[in-house]
Amino acid sequence: MLKEPLPLGSTIGILGDGQLGRMLSQAASRLGFKVVTFGPDAGSPAAQVSLASKVAAYTDEAVLARLAESCDVITFEFENVPAASLDFLTGRGAVVAPSSKALRITQDRVLEKSFAREAGIGTVDFYEINSLSDLQGVLKSSGLPALLKTRREGYDGKGQVWIKSLEEALAAYDSLNGRPSILEAKASFTREISVVAARGWNGEVKTFPIGENHHVGGILSTTLAPAQVSEAVTAAAHEIARKVLEGLDYVGVLAVELFVLPGDELLLNEIAPRVHNSGHWTQDGCLCDQFEQHIRAVTGWPLGDTSARCTVEMTNLLGPDILEWPTLAAEAQSRLYVYGKDEPRPGRKMGHINRIKA
Amino acid sequence: MLKEPLPLGSTIGILGDGQLGRMLSQAASRLGFKVVTFGPDAGSPAAQVSLASKVAAYTDEAVLARLAESCDVITFEFENVPAASLDFLTGRGAVVAPSSKALRITQDRVLEKSFAREAGIGTVDFYEINSLSDLQGVLKSSGLPALLKTRREGYDGKGQVWIKSLEEALAAYDSLNGRPSILEAKASFTREISVVAARGWNGEVKTFPIGENHHVGGILSTTLAPAQVSEAVTAAAHEIARKVLEGLDYVGVLAVELFVLPGDELLLNEIAPRVHNSGHWTQDGCLCDQFEQHIRAVTGWPLGDTSARCTVEMTNLLGPDILEWPTLAAEAQSRLYVYGKDEPRPGRKMGHINRIKA
């Protein structure tokens, strides 16, 4: 762990080289840090704006060892980095945040929800599925429809399938190729919100205002923040974020996605152990955005102010949406972010726009 | 010239590799451009955050030729880049903005003030000085004290000397090593303000709110913006900026430093043909800051909104000021910018902080 803040000019390693790494790198540079990115792709969004980049598989121990030597702290932007790679880095003397423990728990939907329940946080009912007969047995008592997901990986709606009748069990199970899975009961939620929050090495916690999220086809489409929710919902969501941060002994920024049920009960949907798409609004809504906050947290700097300057609607630019840039760039009360990716494949996150609403 | 906006993923070359290049590069990346910096120093502030950097003298034609080939537009962050280098780039088919014509005029204090007078903009009285006898002759009629400056180069109070009596003429002349000079009458100003403004390839002009500047020892210390000046002063300052932009057929962002005389008459002090220290407040005071505005202008994108979101006081962090970063980083209503330079030599611009005032 870090006992003193890292001085100016220290080097931060980032595992993962997508847009989150890009925006983390830009925030780190603004504070005078040097950044080395590590990921599989040359010319990646993060590498384009960083001092140096190592192009290698996340399991390449020779390159990981060099990273451990050259960085004052190492973090990640991607929750599917192997936890074993973090352990390897730690074994080589590197300071790593968040920890491999936090990553291991949040990489596995069964461990994640079990952790939440133990921390006193509500979740939908869920069942561990290791075989087709597990699934068939559980479906009899779980109620329908229910959602079958792989325990690990999968994002933006990938690796999950709705089961509406008992007859669909076999096809659903097959579609996940027999991977260890989780069956989740359907949550009858009225809204989806998220909290982005940070915790420092010294245990200091700061939470950003709540965002309300709208998904289309399983992919986040827009976040409106601060969301129009009651003070009670805000307080409850912030308390959940605090429990998660403290329960995981977490250092850095994470996002907690929550379902709001009728009557304002909150259920934890998912924990993202990293900066999160639903926190992009903070770039224009707060003086310290989620990226700077993460850098502050992992380097032992004081956490920044998380109060909202205004209301922001963040809209993802997916695939060909980005081709509308001439129109988007001409909007007055907005700010455009482009990730430096070449091909606007359908559904690919190419950029986002933050529109100031009030 | 550019007739169409440059598409996403185009490459921008930046001559100059200091903090202005760094912040231009970061703004360009945010809009999805790739950046190549060109300057004499390896590991420069701008190179640290850019896709590529060429380390060479500004006159190195082989490297300039490669830059011309690889960039869709080339700009500069440093007014002492040789205008001949811009001509060389243009000769190799590169699109360059601002133009070498604008650079030549603003590099030379006599040409600059003569241009201003011809454009109907007031300046202090000034005299071209090519010899000691020129100086002695002029001092008899100019009034004292007067300011002797080199015609070219010199910034942050370097290359200039006050003459308070006729007896000081020889020493003053010698201190500039016989370089072509300009003698300027003293302006009895009450305030120093500046306007940062932009013009696109299509002639569109946008001006930022006025900043009020305080210098200490010839170096900018703080800018408060929007400045508390009358609407008439704002309008007059914006009109001067427009005349300068149009008179120079300028493409990009520039800054015009103005003296406010008793009675609110404005005199032009200096034109900076680039983004300017007195425009750093726009990073937190406007949705489109001066760096993004410059990138928009030179790439043919629509100019961004220049209205102020709040009042900002920008304070430069010179030399050892930067060592106060633990305190500065803990301020709530502020944002810290660090330039990635190693040695905090006295007077060196190491970073700045924007404090939100209202």
Side-chain angles (χ1 to χ4, degrees):
Chain A
M1 69 169 285
L2 286 182
K3 291 190 175 148
E4 296 287 332
L6 288 182
L8 301 183
S10 300
T11 299
I12 300 175
I14 300 176
L15 300 178
D17 56 12
Q19 67 270 13
L20 301 178
R22 180 183 178 92
M23 293 184 277
L24 282 170
S25 177
Q26 289 168 324
S29 304
R30 209 168 53 227
L31 296 180
F33 294 108
K34 296 183 171 65
V35 179
V36 182
T37 64
F38 184 117
D41 296 317
S44 68
Q48 289 170 24
V49 301
S50 299
L51 179 64
S53 58
K54 297 187 185 295
V55 180
Y58 293 121
T59 49
D60 186 327
E61 296 194 345
V63 184
L64 286 169
R66 289 204 296 280
L67 194 73
E69 245 170 58
S70 62
C71 293
D72 299 294
V73 67
I74 298 174
T75 187
F76 53 89
E77 59 116 45
F78 178 55
E79 69 269 40
N80 293 322
V81 166
S85 297
L86 299 191
D87 290 332
F88 179 85
L89 290 167
T90 307
R92 289 298 179 114
V95 177
V96 176
S99 69
S100 66
K101 176 196 158 196
L103 183 60
R104 275 204 174 80
I105 291 172
T106 53
Q107 276 178 339
D108 182 310
R109 295 187 170 83
V110 171
L111 297 186
E112 180 178 271
K113 286 193 166 61
S114 303
F115 157 79
R117 289 273 179 109
E118 280 161 29
I121 301 166
T123 71
V124 291
D125 288 334
F126 64 95
Y127 310 88
E128 189 177 334
I129 304 293
N130 293 313
S131 66
L132 179 58
S133 65
D134 275 1
L135 178 61
Q136 288 167 326
V138 159
L139 281 174
K140 286 172 193 154
S141 58
S142 71
L144 288 167
L147 188 57
L148 184 68
K149 292 179 181 176
T150 55
R151 280 177 68 157
R152 302 172 57 85
E153 299 175 353
Y155 61 93
D156 290 348
K158 292 172 195 165
Q160 60 179 57
V161 54
W162 279 102
I163 303 178
K164 297 190 196 71
S165 69
L166 293 176
E167 291 68 40
E168 290 175 19
L170 177 62
Y173 188 75
D174 278 354
S175 76
L176 302 187
N177 296 314
R179 297 166 68 190
S181 300
I182 182 174
L183 187 78
E184 298 180 0
K186 183 175 180 183
S188 297
F189 59 86
T190 56
R191 306 163 85 172
E192 291 181 82
I193 63 174
S194 57
V195 200
V196 175
R199 185 167 173 273
W201 289 100
N202 62 358
E204 181 189 12
V205 166
K206 290 226 179 176
T207 48
F208 285 98
I210 309 298
E212 176 162 0
N213 303 319
H214 291 275
H215 292 80
V216 175
I219 307 180
L220 184 66
S221 173
T222 64
T223 299
L224 183 75
Q228 301 278 332
V229 291
S230 67
E231 278 180 37
V233 165
T234 298
H238 282 167
E239 184 54 24
I240 288 172
R242 175 182 293 275
K243 282 179 180 168
V244 170
L245 287 165
E246 292 176 349
L248 294 174
D249 195 20
Y250 195 89
V251 174
V253 162
L254 57 65
V256 182
E257 294 187 78
L258 300 167
F259 295 132
V260 185
L261 305 188
D264 281 354
E265 188 191 346
L266 298 180
L267 296 184
L268 180 139
N269 177 30
E270 203 170 294
I271 301 167
R274 52 169 170 78
V275 288
H276 191 253
N277 197 164
S278 72
H280 292 359
W281 72 273
T282 59
Q283 293 173 304
D284 298 294
C286 301
L287 275 173
C288 176
D289 65 35
Q290 67 165 347
F291 302 101
E292 179 170 329
Q293 191 74 300
H294 183 74
I295 297 299
R296 285 172 172 261
V298 302
T299 58
W301 281 38
L303 298 183
D305 186 23
T306 54
S307 58
R309 304 176 71 183
C310 56
T311 299
V312 177
E313 185 183 64
M314 186 288 307
T315 300
N316 273 333
L317 302 172
L318 303 173
D321 293 353
I322 199 71
L323 304 177
E324 301 301 319
W325 64 266
T327 311
L328 299 168
E331 287 185 21
Q333 288 299 303
S334 70
R335 205 164 195 207
L336 181 64
Y337 297 81
V338 184
Y339 303 154
K341 301 178 185 177
D342 285 332
E343 288 173 61
R345 295 192 295 268
R348 193 177 194 201
K349 290 179 177 171
M350 301 298 293
H352 67 273
I353 186 165
N354 282 339
R355 295 186 171 102
I356 310 299
K357 290 298 176 184
Chain B
M1 68 170 285
L2 286 182
K3 291 191 174 146
E4 296 287 332
L6 287 181
L8 301 182
S10 300
T11 299
I12 300 176
I14 300 176
L15 301 177
D17 55 12
Q19 67 271 14
L20 302 178
R22 179 182 179 91
M23 293 184 277
L24 282 171
S25 177
Q26 289 169 323
S29 304
R30 208 167 54 227
L31 296 180
F33 294 109
K34 296 183 171 66
V35 180
V36 182
T37 64
F38 184 117
D41 298 316
S44 67
Q48 289 171 24
V49 300
S50 299
L51 178 64
S53 58
K54 297 186 184 296
V55 180
Y58 294 120
T59 50
D60 186 325
E61 296 194 345
V63 184
L64 287 169
R66 288 204 296 278
L67 193 73
E69 243 168 57
S70 61
C71 293
D72 298 295
V73 68
I74 299 174
T75 186
F76 52 89
E77 58 116 46
F78 178 55
E79 68 270 39
N80 294 322
V81 166
S85 297
L86 300 192
D87 289 333
F88 178 85
L89 290 166
T90 307
R92 289 298 178 113
V95 177
V96 176
S99 69
S100 67
K101 176 195 158 196
L103 183 59
R104 275 202 174 80
I105 291 172
T106 54
Q107 276 179 337
D108 181 310
R109 294 187 171 82
V110 171
L111 297 186
E112 180 178 272
K113 286 192 167 62
S114 303
F115 158 77
R117 290 272 178 109
E118 280 162 29
I121 301 165
T123 72
V124 291
D125 287 335
F126 64 96
Y127 310 89
E128 190 176 332
I129 304 292
N130 292 314
S131 66
L132 179 59
S133 65
D134 275 1
L135 178 60
Q136 288 167 327
V138 159
L139 281 173
K140 287 173 191 154
S141 58
S142 71
L144 288 167
L147 188 57
L148 185 68
K149 293 180 179 174
T150 55
R151 281 178 67 158
R152 300 172 58 84
E153 299 173 354
Y155 61 92
D156 289 348
K158 292 173 196 165
Q160 60 180 59
V161 55
W162 280 102
I163 303 178
K164 298 191 194 69
S165 70
L166 293 176
E167 290 69 37
E168 290 175 20
L170 177 61
Y173 188 74
D174 277 354
S175 76
L176 301 187
N177 295 315
R179 296 166 69 191
S181 300
I182 181 174
L183 188 78
E184 299 180 0
K186 183 175 180 181
S188 297
F189 59 87
T190 56
R191 307 165 83 172
E192 291 180 82
I193 63 173
S194 57
V195 199
V196 175
R199 184 167 174 273
W201 289 101
N202 62 359
E204 181 188 11
V205 166
K206 290 227 180 175
T207 48
F208 285 98
I210 309 297
E212 176 162 0
N213 303 320
H214 292 275
H215 292 80
V216 175
I219 305 180
L220 184 67
S221 172
T222 63
T223 300
L224 183 75
Q228 300 279 334
V229 291
S230 67
E231 277 180 39
V233 165
T234 299
H238 282 167
E239 184 54 25
I240 288 171
R242 176 183 291 275
K243 282 179 180 167
V244 169
L245 287 165
E246 291 177 349
L248 294 174
D249 195 19
Y250 195 90
V251 174
V253 162
L254 57 65
V256 181
E257 293 187 79
L258 299 167
F259 295 133
V260 184
L261 306 188
D264 280 354
E265 189 192 346
L266 298 180
L267 296 184
L268 180 140
N269 177 30
E270 202 168 295
I271 302 166
R274 52 171 170 78
V275 288
H276 191 252
N277 197 166
S278 71
H280 291 358
W281 73 273
T282 59
Q283 292 172 306
D284 297 295
C286 301
L287 275 173
C288 176
D289 66 35
Q290 66 165 348
F291 302 101
E292 178 169 330
Q293 192 74 302
H294 183 74
I295 297 299
R296 284 172 172 262
V298 302
T299 58
W301 281 38
L303 297 183
D305 185 22
T306 54
S307 57
R309 302 177 71 182
C310 56
T311 299
V312 177
E313 184 183 64
M314 186 288 307
T315 300
N316 272 333
L317 302 172
L318 303 174
D321 294 352
I322 198 72
L323 303 177
E324 302 301 319
W325 64 265
T327 311
L328 299 168
E331 288 185 19
Q333 288 299 303
S334 69
R335 206 166 194 205
L336 181 64
Y337 296 81
V338 185
Y339 303 154
K341 300 178 184 177
D342 285 333
E343 288 173 61
R345 295 193 295 269
R348 193 177 195 204
K349 290 178 177 172
M350 300 298 292
H352 67 273
I353 187 165
N354 282 340
R355 295 185 171 105
I356 309 300
K357 290 299 176 183

